Amino acid sequence: MKSMRNHNKSSSWTLLVALVFLGLSLILFGRNLDFYLYAHPDEPNKVAQIINNEYNFHHPMLMIRTTSIISEIYGKVTDFKFVMLAGRWTSITYASLAVFLFVLINGRIHGSLVAVATGIFLISNPHLFDLAHYFKEDPCLLFGIALVLFAMLLYSEIPGAIQAGFVGLSCGLAFSAKYSAGIVLPFSIYILIVYSKKKPRDFAVAALCFITGIISINYPAFEALAKASGSLNREIDSLTGQSKILTRSIPHGVYSNIYWQSTTPVLIGLLVAYALQVMKRRFAIAPIERVMIFLPLLYVGVLSFLPKTHHRYFLPVAALLACLSAVGLKNILKLRHGFVVGAALILLSVAWQLPRLFKANRGFTDDYRKELAVYLEKEISKEAKILQDKRVDLKNTGFSNLHDRPIQSSETLESLRKEGFTHIIVTSKNYGRFFLKSSKPTKGSEEEFELMKLFYMRLFQEGSLIREWDIGDNLYLAPPFRVYSIQSGS
């Protein structure tokens, strides 16, 4: 009886800690949301899908449908700025709920002090802070994975049909956030196998709830199955580097560098300490704990074989590793003065992350495109005809002679001059990929690749660089721009 009271007391404290970090996450992640509406190349397209009620189905629809419902409730489903901000707040909310769930999971398994460390390590993660700001699927994916893990935990504590249904439904929600969440399915099956007392019933209930969750959120995709299927195939081709004129060598080690950018020496040390302890115990740990170890390992293993890379793909792994680092504090807390040592380690980790967080936050106050537009207005003749290359993305600048289209492989400086172009604006976000050692043309695109590379080489050698912006604190809001004059004799 006393043990039950202690457990309930511990659970209450854990819930309180999780709620505190939910509030802190909403406050921290919700800073500087009103940045340039066209900063991220994917955000305006998502807003347009909601306004036009016409979906491209590049991703499952949890984020899009959530934002659409919010916009409809407020009666502003055709208001571009409102929908954009609603989308960003959707990402912030899902990111904060993910923090809440991870804190709750670690707290229920390892106690309130580990829960506190989990929350601090997560909200001080600069990549999570950054990615929570965009109307993108990654925070929804993180929430989906956290929800599945929480459902697994509840099922492991009290196996039953209702809990099995929650596991299935959470898997459906996670899959509806992003297709990569499908990686949780074998782990969910593992938990059901280990704990189920009535396997046929529990598997049937879980499967039914999984399908129900997917259909209820993604029903527009099922109404346009051919379009959704074609879009999924294009996304797969893009991810595997088959849909463009260039791809990259398999970057097996790139995510170790991305992990370093989001973690601290303290977290790495705690993670190593936890790993050594688990191996010393020969993995004699609860199945849910095994899942939290092998899920990020499998996830990063899959990522390391994809030629298309981005730090946002690593977000679920970074979050899960931060949770495991927090568990590494358990043995330290058992030592003499362990609480003081543990608190000092947490503070050291936060101190390491603070400059990164300040930089990330400062980045959302930059606006290189506004500076560029002012420069064009003041320094470039109204008679000039300017071509902005792919990913420059100047919108609503008011400069009438600004032409927005990607440079084609069939074009040369001479052909552009004949069309009347006098200036070209480029960014290394686009041309830089042609000069990476790891870049290579896809099969059948060798000639196009070489022509594009040659074009940029000639532009840099023969064009006149009249203004340049180095990369700022935020790649989307402060990308590196170059303005070239290509007039004869320039």
Side-chain angles (χ1 to χ4, degrees):
M1 190 70 175
K2 184 177 179 181
S3 176
M4 180 64 71
R5 284 198 300 268
N6 289 337
H7 176 75
N8 291 338
K9 185 177 180 180
S10 176
S11 297
S12 298
W13 275 111
T14 297
L15 178 59
L16 178 60
V17 170
L19 288 171
V20 167
F21 279 103
L22 173 62
L24 289 174
S25 300
L26 289 168
I27 293 170
L28 180 64
F29 299 158
R31 294 176 56 82
N32 295 319
L33 271 195
D34 57 345
F35 57 91
Y36 183 53
L37 297 180
Y38 299 92
H40 196 292
D42 294 342
E43 285 188 308
N45 177 271
K46 297 180 187 303
V47 175
Q49 291 181 61
I50 293 173
I51 291 176
N52 300 326
N53 195 29
E54 186 174 338
Y55 306 107
N56 60 25
F57 305 116
H58 290 173
H59 299 284
M61 303 192 68
L62 177 61
M63 182 192 65
I64 290 284
R65 290 298 302 144
T66 303
T67 305
S68 179
I69 290 170
I70 293 171
S71 302
E72 288 171 2
I73 290 173
Y74 283 89
K76 295 189 176 184
V77 75
T78 59
D79 185 326
F80 185 93
K81 184 175 182 179
F82 180 90
V83 175
M84 178 71 81
L85 290 176
R88 290 173 180 173
W89 268 111
T90 296
S91 292
I92 285 168
T93 302
Y94 278 124
S96 301
L97 287 171
V99 172
F100 169 79
L101 288 169
F102 281 128
V103 171
L104 207 55
I105 291 165
N106 256 4
R108 289 179 75 94
I109 300 174
H110 303 289
S112 299
L113 292 175
V114 171
V116 171
T118 302
I120 293 174
F121 293 161
L122 287 172
I123 67 172
S124 62
N125 185 300
H127 285 176
L128 178 55
F129 174 87
D130 175 65
L131 294 171
H133 282 70
Y134 301 110
F135 187 12
K136 291 285 292 177
E137 288 81 9
D138 305 282
C140 293
L141 169 64
L142 187 63
F143 162 75
I145 291 174
L147 186 66
V148 173
L149 290 171
F150 183 64
M152 290 182 193
L153 176 61
L154 292 184
Y155 185 83
S156 67
E157 292 176 347
I158 309 175
I162 294 176
Q163 291 82 356
F166 185 32
V167 171
L169 182 62
S170 64
C171 287
L173 290 173
F175 191 79
S176 298
K178 205 169 184 179
Y179 294 121
S180 57
I183 200 168
V184 302
L185 291 177
F187 294 99
S188 301
I189 292 171
Y190 163 68
I191 290 295
L192 289 175
I193 290 174
V194 169
Y195 287 102
S196 180
K197 298 175 181 177
K198 296 182 179 180
K199 288 183 174 58
R201 180 202 66 185
D202 288 356
F203 272 92
V205 171
L208 179 61
C209 290
F210 173 68
I211 295 170
T212 301
I214 291 177
I215 293 176
S216 63
I217 295 170
N218 299 279
Y219 65 86
F222 290 96
E223 294 174 349
L225 205 54
K227 182 179 179 181
S229 177
S231 180
L232 175 59
N233 289 332
R234 285 192 297 272
E235 283 297 301
I236 293 173
D237 288 343
S238 175
L239 194 62
T240 55
Q242 302 304 312
S243 65
K244 300 178 181 180
I245 68 172
L246 60 82
T247 185
R248 297 177 63 185
S249 303
I250 302 298
H252 293 291
V254 69
Y255 287 103
S256 60
N257 183 50
I258 291 176
Y259 174 54
W260 171 246
Q261 293 170 7
S262 69
T263 192
T264 73
V266 170
L267 266 65
I268 293 173
L270 290 173
L271 184 63
V272 171
Y274 173 68
L276 291 175
Q277 183 64 24
V278 169
M279 287 188 287
K280 183 179 179 181
R281 295 168 59 187
R282 298 183 181 181
F283 285 89
I285 53 180
I288 183 64
E289 205 170 341
R290 291 194 196 110
V291 169
M292 293 190 69
I293 293 172
F294 287 104
L295 175 57
L297 292 177
L298 177 60
Y299 202 106
V300 78
V302 172
L303 287 179
S304 69
F305 282 90
L306 296 176
K308 185 176 179 180
T309 63
H310 200 287
H311 77 276
R312 62 188 176 87
Y313 299 157
F314 192 74
L315 180 62
V317 179
L320 285 164
L321 292 182
C323 292
L324 296 179
S325 293
V327 181
L329 283 169
K330 281 186 71 176
N331 289 325
I332 292 175
L333 293 172
K334 295 175 183 177
L335 302 174
R336 186 180 181 186
H337 305 303
F339 180 84
V340 175
V341 175
L345 289 174
I346 292 172
L347 289 175
L348 283 173
S349 180
V350 172
W352 184 280
Q353 296 287 38
L354 277 178
R356 293 172 167 179
L357 288 171
F358 283 129
K359 180 181 178 181
N361 184 63
R362 187 174 63 237
F364 287 105
T365 65
D366 289 335
D367 193 342
Y368 276 16
R369 289 178 179 84
K370 185 176 180 179
E371 293 180 24
L372 178 53
V374 171
Y375 171 79
L376 295 177
E377 184 69 29
K378 290 184 176 180
E379 304 296 334
I380 304 296
S381 168
K382 292 292 184 183
E383 286 70 41
K385 186 177 180 181
I386 305 172
L387 174 63
Q388 61 162 330
D389 193 15
K390 186 178 181 182
R391 300 193 181 186
V392 173
D393 295 323
L394 288 175
K395 299 283 193 295
N396 304 317
T397 61
F399 202 88
S400 59
N401 288 339
L402 190 64
H403 296 259
D404 180 16
R405 66 170 174 81
I407 295 168
Q408 305 297 320
S409 60
S410 59
E411 294 178 316
T412 63
L413 294 179
E414 290 77 15
S415 67
L416 291 176
R417 289 188 188 114
K418 287 181 180 179
E419 290 184 52
F421 286 107
T422 59
H423 297 78
I424 300 178
I425 307 173
V426 295
T427 173
S428 61
K429 287 177 64 179
N430 185 45
Y431 70 72
R433 56 205 177 117
F434 291 98
F435 298 93
L436 291 172
K437 291 183 179 179
S438 58
S439 293
K440 58 185 178 180
T442 55
K443 188 175 181 180
S445 300
E446 292 84 0
E447 183 180 2
E448 187 177 0
F449 176 91
E450 291 302 326
L451 287 172
M452 289 299 303
K453 186 173 181 179
L454 178 62
F455 177 90
Y456 288 115
M457 290 176 65
R458 285 195 61 199
L459 175 65
F460 303 152
Q461 293 170 3
E462 301 174 26
S464 177
L465 178 63
I466 59 177
R467 183 64 191 271
E468 182 177 11
W469 281 262
D470 291 329
I471 190 169
D473 293 325
N474 186 298
L475 181 60
Y476 295 111
L477 283 153
F481 288 130
R482 291 184 181 182
V483 183
Y484 283 92
S485 170
I486 61 169
Q487 298 174 86
S488 299
S490 63

